Amino acid sequence: MEPETYAEVILPLPVSGTFTYHIPDSLREKAIPGVRIIVPFGEKKSYTGVIRRIVPEPPGTFLPKEINRVLDDKPLIQEFHFQFWEWMSDYYLCTLGEVMDAALPGGLKPAHHFSYSVHSGFKEPGALTDKERNMFFYIHQHPGITDDELGKEFGKRNAPKLIRSLLEKNALTEKSLMVDPYKPRTLRYIRISPGLTEQALQQMPETLKQAKRQWEMFTACAADWSPGETPPSFLKSGLLKKHPYPGALTSLKEKGILEEYELPVSRLERGEEKAAHLKHLTPAQQQVLENILELFREKNTVLLHGVTSSGKTEIYFHLIREQLTLGKQVLYLLPEIAITGQMIHRLKEAFGDLAGIYHSRYSDAERIETWLNLSGNDASKPLKIVLGVRAAVFLPFREPGLIIVDEEHETSYKQDSTSPRYHARDAAVMLGHLTGAKVLLGSATPSLESYYNARTGKYGLTELKERYTRIAMPEIRVVDMKKMYKRREVRGHLSHELHEAVEEALQEGEQVILFQNRRGFSPYIQCADCGWIPYCKHCDVALTYHKNSNRLVCHYCGYNIPVPTRCPSCASTHLHTRGFGTEKIEEEIRLLFPEAHPTRLDLDTARSRKQYLSIIQDFEEQKTNILIGTQMITKGLDFGHVRVVGILNADNLLHFPDFRAWERSFQLMAQVSGRAGRKDKRGRVFIQTYDPGHPVITDVLKHDYFHMYNTQLQERRLFHYPPFYRLIRITLKHRNNDAVNRAATELTSLLRKNFRNNVLGPQYAFIPRVRNRYIKQILLKLERHTDKSTAKTILQQFEQYLRETPAYRGIQFINDVDPL
C-alpha cells in the first residue's frame, strides 16, 4: 500500500502561510507543484489554490481535507516564480495568498458562489417584510440565481442580509457551486460528414434535385474533394455569408450529409512571424549598445540614462533581437497603458506574432490565454516578447532572458492601493536575480535611488547624451506669471508668450501639448460672500467641479452632487470657481482658438482602452492639433509634429508637501518638455510659474539632471531619506477617530523603544478622512545596515498585539514598504 501524500497549498486569502490538504489516490499523478486545484475551505466554501509542494505527512495531528479537483495538465507556476512570490511576501509585508491573488488573473481563480431557489414547503410569504418579499418573488421568477446576481439587483450591502433572513425563515434553499468565468473561445466549422460513402456521393444529384439551395451549399463544401480524403473545413459564418441559406444547412446536417463542429481558437492577436528589420543605430547609439552588452557580463542590472528623444527604444529592439536568437523570452515593461498601443505596433512591425501584450484594459480571457501560452498549457506557438505594465512581472515566463523597464522613474510602477504594495521596477530586478535574466532600466530622468545604485556600482551605468540624429534639445522659456498678470498679458490661463507660440504653431500646421496636472474644470467652487466651499460628506476633501456633467465630484470616493444654484450657508448666488483643471483649459482653448481641434487626455476622457487609443491615434494622425492632459502625456509618448509645449502651472508640482516633490517636479517638467521637437525642427517649451528663480526650474532650463541629483542627494543624506534609508509607512484606518488616535499613539510608543528617533509621527494623512475612515500614519526609517527582516518582524508583532487588543478591534493596519 502506497504511503499517504499531502499538498501544501497557497490560497488567495490574506492569511499567513500555506494550507495542507490530503491528495486522494485518483489525483496523485496530476497533483504536482505549480498546478491549480479546487479545495474545500471552512464549512461551505471552496477556493482555487496552487500546490506549493508535496509532503509525506501533515503538520500536527489534525486530519486534512481532500483536494476536490486538479485544473491543469502542466504546472502553471515554476519553482523560481514561487521563490519570487515568497520574496515579495517577505519584502512587502503581505501574505503569500495576497501575492497569488495579485499574480493570477481573475479567470484563473474559479470563484465560489451560492445559488438560491424558493423552498417548496414555504407557504407564508405574507410573514415576510416588504424587502424580503420583493427578493422572495424575484428568486421565485429566477430559480437558481446566484448571490452575485442578487447583489447586483438588490445592492451588495443589502442582499446578504436579506438572503440570511430568508434562509433563517426557511423561505429559500441554498446550493453551493463553483463558477469558472473563463470560457475558451471557439469557432464553428462545417465539413462533409466523414462517414459519407462514394455511393451516397454518386446519388447526391438525385437526392438533392428538388432542393436547389441544399445542392448549392453541398457543392460548395464538396469542391476539390474525393471520398477517402480528409474533407476540407469551412468557417460556418463565412460559408453562410457566401451562401445565406441557414435552413438548407440545417437540412443537410439532419440528413447526415454535412457535419458541424467547433474548435478552440486563441483570442490573442497573432499575425505572421517576421524577421526583425531594425533601424540602423547612430554611432552614439551603437556605442551605448556595446556598453550595455559589456556591462551585462559583470552586472545583472544596467541603467541606461538617455535624454528624451535619444532613441533608447531602438537600442531596446536590438537587445531584444539578440535574446530571440538565443531562444530566450523578453518582458518589456511600460508605466502606463496609454503608451502600450504605440509600442505594440512598433514591436509587431519588427517581430510579428512573437510579440504580445498584457494589461488590465484587455479582457480577463485574453490575459488568461497569455498566461496559458507562456506557462506551456496552450498548444499554440509561445510568445517570445510580452509588453505590459506593472502586473506583467508575475507572468510565468519559462525562459526569461531580458527584462526592460522603460521610464523606470515613473510612480505608476508602484502599486499603492492594494496588497502587495510592490514596485514593479524593484520586483523586476529581483526577478532577474532569481532567473538569471538581465534587467535594463531606462529613463531620461532616472529616480534618485536607481541613479545612486548605478553611480555606486550596484548597477551598471551607461549614458546617451545626444538626441537621435542630433536634433537640438527644446528651447525652454520660463514665464513669470506675476509680471504677466500685472501687465494684464494673460488670456485665460495662457501667458501672452505662450498664446502667441500656440497661434504660430497652429498657423504652420504644427501641434501643441498643454500640461496641467489636475483634471476636472476647477478644483472647487466657493461662495464669494461667506467663503463656503462644498466638501465630500465621506472624505475631508473639497468637491471638484466638472462642467461637462455640471456636477461636483469627489476624486477619492466618487461621491457627487449637482452644482448648487445658491450657497446653502448664506443663500447667496455668488458661487465662483477657484483654480483650474484640464477641462477648464479645454474650454478656454476652444474660445481662444476657434479653428483649432483640441482634445483632452486624462482619467475622465480615457477610462477604457478604446478611448486611450482613439485620443492618441487622432493626435498622431493630426486629426487633433492641441492635446491637453495630466501626467498621462508625460510618459514616453512619441509625437513627431509637436512644436510647442506649455506647462501651465509649475508651482503646484514644486510646493507639494513631500520630500520627493523637487525630484518629481524635475522629472515631470523634463519629460513633458521632451515631447517637443522630436523630428526635424527645434521645439519650444514654456514653463509658467510665480517662482521663476526656483532651483528646480533652473535645472530644467539647463537640462541639468546631474545638478538636481547632487543637491537632492545631499538633502536626503542630511534628513535620513532614501537612498540612504529605507522607509516603511504604517497607515491605520478606522471609522472611529478616537480609536485610530489611541492605536497610532500606542504603536508609535512601542516602535520608538526599538527604533528611537527613526520613527516619525503619528500624524493625519494628507487627506485625513476617506470613505468615512479616519487615517493616521507613522513613518519608520531603517538605516541601510539595519537587519530588515528583524525590523519587519518586530513591526508585525506589535501590530498583531494591537489587533488582539479588544479596544482596537477592527482597525486596519497597512504597511507600505518603500512608499512613494
Side-chain angles (χ1 to χ4, degrees):
M1 181 177 176
E2 289 188 30
E4 299 292 314
T5 54
Y6 301 86
E8 289 183 6
V9 178
I10 305 170
L11 294 180
L13 301 170
V15 183
S16 298
T18 56
F19 299 84
T20 304
Y21 286 86
H22 177 245
I23 304 174
D25 293 342
S26 60
L27 297 178
R28 282 195 185 184
E29 288 187 8
K30 287 186 171 183
I32 57 177
V35 299
R36 292 173 304 140
I37 55 174
I38 303 291
V39 293
F41 190 85
E43 292 184 9
K44 293 182 177 180
K45 288 206 167 188
S46 296
Y47 283 99
T48 300
V50 175
I51 295 179
R52 173 64 184 97
R53 58 177 62 88
I54 307 297
V55 293
E57 55 187 32
T61 56
F62 72 95
L63 186 64
K65 296 179 180 179
E66 283 196 344
I67 293 172
N68 289 344
R69 188 154 54 104
V70 176
L71 298 176
D72 302 311
D73 296 324
K74 298 177 184 177
L76 204 64
I77 309 298
Q78 304 299 311
E79 175 59 28
F80 63 78
H81 284 101
F82 280 129
Q83 293 173 15
F84 179 57
W85 288 9
E86 287 160 354
W87 168 81
M88 188 169 279
S89 168
D90 177 65
Y91 187 82
Y92 290 107
L93 296 175
C94 61
T95 69
L96 200 53
E98 287 174 315
V99 178
M100 173 198 162
D101 198 33
L104 298 183
L108 289 179
K109 299 169 290 190
H112 183 270
H113 288 279
F114 293 99
S115 66
Y116 298 94
S117 298
V118 167
H119 196 293
S120 58
F122 185 75
K123 306 295 183 186
E124 303 177 15
L128 304 177
T129 66
D130 289 344
K131 290 183 179 179
E132 289 171 349
R133 198 178 300 115
N134 286 342
M135 180 175 278
F136 177 83
F137 285 114
Y138 189 83
I139 295 172
H140 187 269
Q141 294 170 351
H142 304 85
I145 191 169
T146 66
D147 48 3
D148 195 42
E149 292 167 323
L150 287 171
K152 291 176 184 176
E153 185 67 28
F154 293 93
K156 290 185 178 180
R157 290 187 178 181
N158 296 326
K161 297 175 186 176
L162 292 172
I163 291 168
R164 188 162 55 248
S165 178
L166 289 169
L167 287 170
E168 288 170 356
K169 293 176 180 180
N170 292 319
L172 301 180
T173 60
E174 182 180 66
K175 184 180 178 182
S176 176
L177 70 156
M178 291 294 291
V179 177
D180 187 349
Y182 173 64
K183 303 291 184 207
R185 182 185 178 192
T186 59
L187 291 178
R188 305 196 74 83
Y189 290 88
I190 302 295
R191 65 184 176 193
I192 302 291
S193 295
L196 194 68
T197 64
E198 189 171 354
Q199 182 180 1
L201 180 64
Q202 292 172 351
Q203 294 174 353
M204 201 61 62
E206 182 66 24
T207 305
L208 301 178
K209 68 178 181 180
Q210 300 298 324
K212 181 181 177 182
R213 288 180 174 178
Q214 291 181 36
W215 173 252
E216 183 181 326
M217 186 162 283
F218 170 76
T219 54
C221 294
D224 303 321
W225 173 77
S226 302
E229 297 177 352
T230 302
S233 297
F234 300 88
L235 192 62
K236 182 180 178 181
S237 58
L239 185 65
L240 287 173
K241 191 173 182 179
K242 290 183 178 178
H243 309 279
Y245 315 129
L249 178 59
T250 302
S251 297
L252 289 169
K253 289 192 294 182
E254 289 173 353
K255 293 173 181 176
I257 297 170
L258 295 185
E259 175 185 73
E260 182 174 336
Y261 66 101
E262 63 180 26
L263 289 175
V265 61
S266 175
R267 291 178 172 88
L268 305 180
E269 295 177 10
R270 306 299 292 271
E272 295 181 1
E273 183 178 336
K274 296 179 183 177
H277 296 296
L278 307 181
K279 292 180 182 177
H280 289 294
L281 300 181
T282 65
Q285 288 174 318
Q286 185 63 39
Q287 183 60 55
V288 166
L289 177 62
E290 291 170 9
N291 291 346
I292 292 169
L293 294 172
E294 183 64 32
L295 287 165
F296 274 153
R297 293 190 178 96
E298 298 176 8
K299 307 283 186 182
N300 220 43
T301 303
V302 172
L303 173 64
L304 168 55
H305 177 204
V307 298
T308 56
S309 196
S310 57
K312 294 185 290 294
T313 304
E314 293 305 323
I315 296 172
Y316 300 158
F317 279 27
H318 281 260
L319 289 166
I320 290 170
R321 182 170 63 181
E322 183 193 42
Q323 291 299 318
L324 297 183
T325 60
L326 296 173
K328 297 289 187 177
Q329 294 170 303
V330 176
L331 172 60
Y332 192 144
L333 292 177
L334 290 172
E336 284 282 352
I337 293 170
I339 52 180
T340 57
Q342 275 192 339
M343 188 55 67
I344 193 62
H345 177 70
R346 293 177 66 179
L347 280 169
K348 284 188 174 291
E349 273 191 341
F351 303 105
D353 70 352
L354 295 178
I357 195 165
Y358 184 89
H359 57 64
S360 59
R361 301 286 185 189
Y362 276 72
S363 70
D364 206 43
E366 288 172 307
R367 284 180 285 148
I368 288 167
E369 291 190 6
T370 300
W371 258 84
L372 297 178
N373 179 289
L374 292 169
S375 67
N377 283 265
D378 178 359
S380 62
K381 195 169 183 179
L383 293 167
K384 290 292 185 180
I385 311 158
V386 177
L387 179 73
V389 291
R390 63 176 178 243
V393 294
F394 293 113
L395 286 169
F397 289 97
R398 300 173 74 83
E399 296 179 292
L402 176 66
I403 303 172
I404 297 168
V405 186
D406 197 17
E407 308 294 348
E408 65 83 31
H409 66 279
E410 282 288 352
T411 55
S412 308
Y413 282 122
K414 173 71 173 177
Q415 165 64 275
D416 56 10
S417 58
T418 58
S419 192
R421 291 173 169 80
Y422 65 96
H423 197 300
R425 176 198 63 216
D426 300 339
V429 171
M430 176 52 67
L431 185 61
H433 171 72
L434 291 172
T435 63
K438 300 301 180 182
V439 181
L440 181 63
L441 311 178
S443 176
T445 55
S447 65
L448 256 69
E449 290 88 341
S450 293
Y451 200 64
Y452 177 80
N453 285 335
R455 299 278 298 184
T456 55
K458 184 176 180 180
Y459 301 161
L461 174 64
T462 185
E463 301 191 88
L464 185 55
K465 297 181 179 180
E466 65 179 48
R467 285 184 137 192
Y468 186 67
T469 65
R470 296 183 179 273
I471 299 168
M473 294 293 285
E475 173 197 354
I476 300 179
R477 301 198 61 171
V478 178
V479 182
D480 187 340
M481 294 303 286
K482 283 187 292 188
K483 291 181 179 178
M484 289 291 116
Y485 276 107
K486 280 181 182 177
R487 296 173 185 167
R488 300 189 177 183
E489 294 182 348
V490 178
R491 302 190 66 180
H493 287 88
L494 272 63
S495 63
H496 175 68
E497 291 181 59
L498 178 55
H499 182 276
E500 279 193 341
V502 171
E503 196 167 47
E504 184 182 324
L506 295 178
Q507 286 173 356
E508 294 179 8
E510 295 168 342
Q511 291 177 299
V512 176
I513 288 178
L514 299 176
F515 171 68
Q516 167 62 4
N517 202 30
R518 188 188 293 274
R519 63 190 172 104
F521 187 86
S522 175
Y524 60 96
I525 63 170
Q526 186 175 32
C527 174
D529 292 337
C530 73
W532 171 83
I533 297 172
Y535 271 73
C536 175
K537 70 176 185 178
H538 306 299
C539 312
D540 290 335
V541 64
L543 296 172
T544 301
Y545 174 46
H546 286 252
K547 188 172 183 179
N548 284 352
S549 58
N550 197 36
R551 299 189 75 81
L552 298 172
V553 181
C554 175
H555 287 172
Y556 288 84
C557 72
Y559 171 75
N560 63 91
I561 58 173
V563 177
T565 55
R566 290 181 177 273
C567 171
S569 178
C570 69
S572 167
T573 56
H574 300 144
L575 298 175
H576 300 300
T577 61
R578 299 286 185 247
F580 63 100
T582 51
E583 191 180 334
K584 189 169 188 176
I585 296 301
E586 183 183 17
E587 180 183 270
E588 290 179 355
I589 290 297
R590 292 185 187 278
L591 292 172
L592 292 171
F593 305 102
E595 302 301 318
H597 302 286
T599 188
R600 182 158 50 95
L601 181 62
D602 57 30
L603 276 178
D604 296 318
T605 61
R607 293 192 176 276
S608 70
R609 183 178 80 182
K610 271 188 176 179
Q611 289 172 317
Y612 269 123
L613 295 177
S614 175
I615 292 167
I616 291 166
Q617 189 173 345
D618 285 352
F619 196 67
E620 275 185 320
E621 295 174 359
Q622 295 183 275
K623 293 177 182 176
T624 55
N625 51 15
I626 300 180
L627 179 63
I628 303 148
T630 56
Q631 287 189 39
M632 288 183 180
I633 64 175
T634 71
K635 301 175 190 293
L637 291 167
D638 186 5
F639 302 117
H641 301 280
V642 174
R643 293 294 170 263
V644 174
V645 167
I647 298 171
L648 301 183
N649 185 4
D651 302 299
N652 66 353
L653 304 171
L654 292 166
H655 303 303
F656 191 79
D658 184 85
F659 75 92
R660 285 194 173 93
W662 285 19
E663 176 194 2
R664 286 185 185 157
S665 299
F666 180 92
Q667 289 167 341
L668 277 168
M669 286 190 274
Q671 289 286 340
V672 76
S673 299
R675 304 311 110 203
R678 297 173 73 90
K679 287 288 186 287
D680 55 359
K681 190 175 179 181
R682 192 179 188 196
R684 300 170 70 193
V685 178
F686 295 83
I687 300 176
Q688 298 188 164
T689 176
Y690 289 88
D691 189 3
H694 195 287
V696 170
I697 291 179
T698 303
D699 289 338
V700 173
L701 196 60
K702 296 177 180 178
H703 306 287
D704 195 347
Y705 171 85
F706 195 65
H707 183 264
M708 184 279 297
Y709 164 79
N710 277 327
T711 53
Q712 288 301 293
L713 203 65
Q714 290 172 20
E715 287 194 12
R716 303 278 182 93
R717 183 182 281 111
L718 183 63
F719 294 107
H720 298 174
Y721 282 106
F724 304 103
Y725 279 68
R726 292 253 185 221
L727 303 182
I728 301 176
R729 185 171 60 212
I730 305 121
T731 301
L732 292 82
K733 291 185 180 182
H734 198 266
R735 289 180 180 274
N736 186 305
N737 190 25
D738 184 54
V740 166
N741 272 322
R742 288 185 287 107
T745 301
E746 185 166 350
L747 179 56
T748 303
S749 177
L750 290 169
L751 289 170
R752 283 201 174 119
K753 290 177 182 178
N754 288 83
F755 304 104
R756 297 184 177 85
N757 295 330
N758 285 333
V759 182
L760 301 184
Q763 63 183 17
Y764 282 106
F766 187 66
I767 306 296
R769 182 174 61 102
V770 174
R771 299 178 187 270
N772 286 324
R773 284 175 169 77
Y774 293 92
I775 307 167
K776 294 209 85 169
Q777 294 179 333
I778 303 163
L779 191 65
L780 177 59
K781 297 180 177 181
L782 301 177
E783 298 174 54
R784 282 279 171 178
H785 58 75
T786 303
D787 183 346
K788 309 299 185 299
S789 295
T790 303
K792 291 173 181 177
T793 301
I794 291 169
L795 171 61
Q796 288 177 312
Q797 286 173 347
F798 288 157
E799 289 177 345
Q800 188 59 35
Y801 161 73
L802 293 176
R803 283 190 188 96
E804 293 170 358
T805 303
Y808 304 137
R809 190 162 293 146
I811 289 181
Q812 185 181 4
F813 294 85
I814 299 169
N815 297 315
D816 190 356
V817 179
D818 301 334
L820 293 180

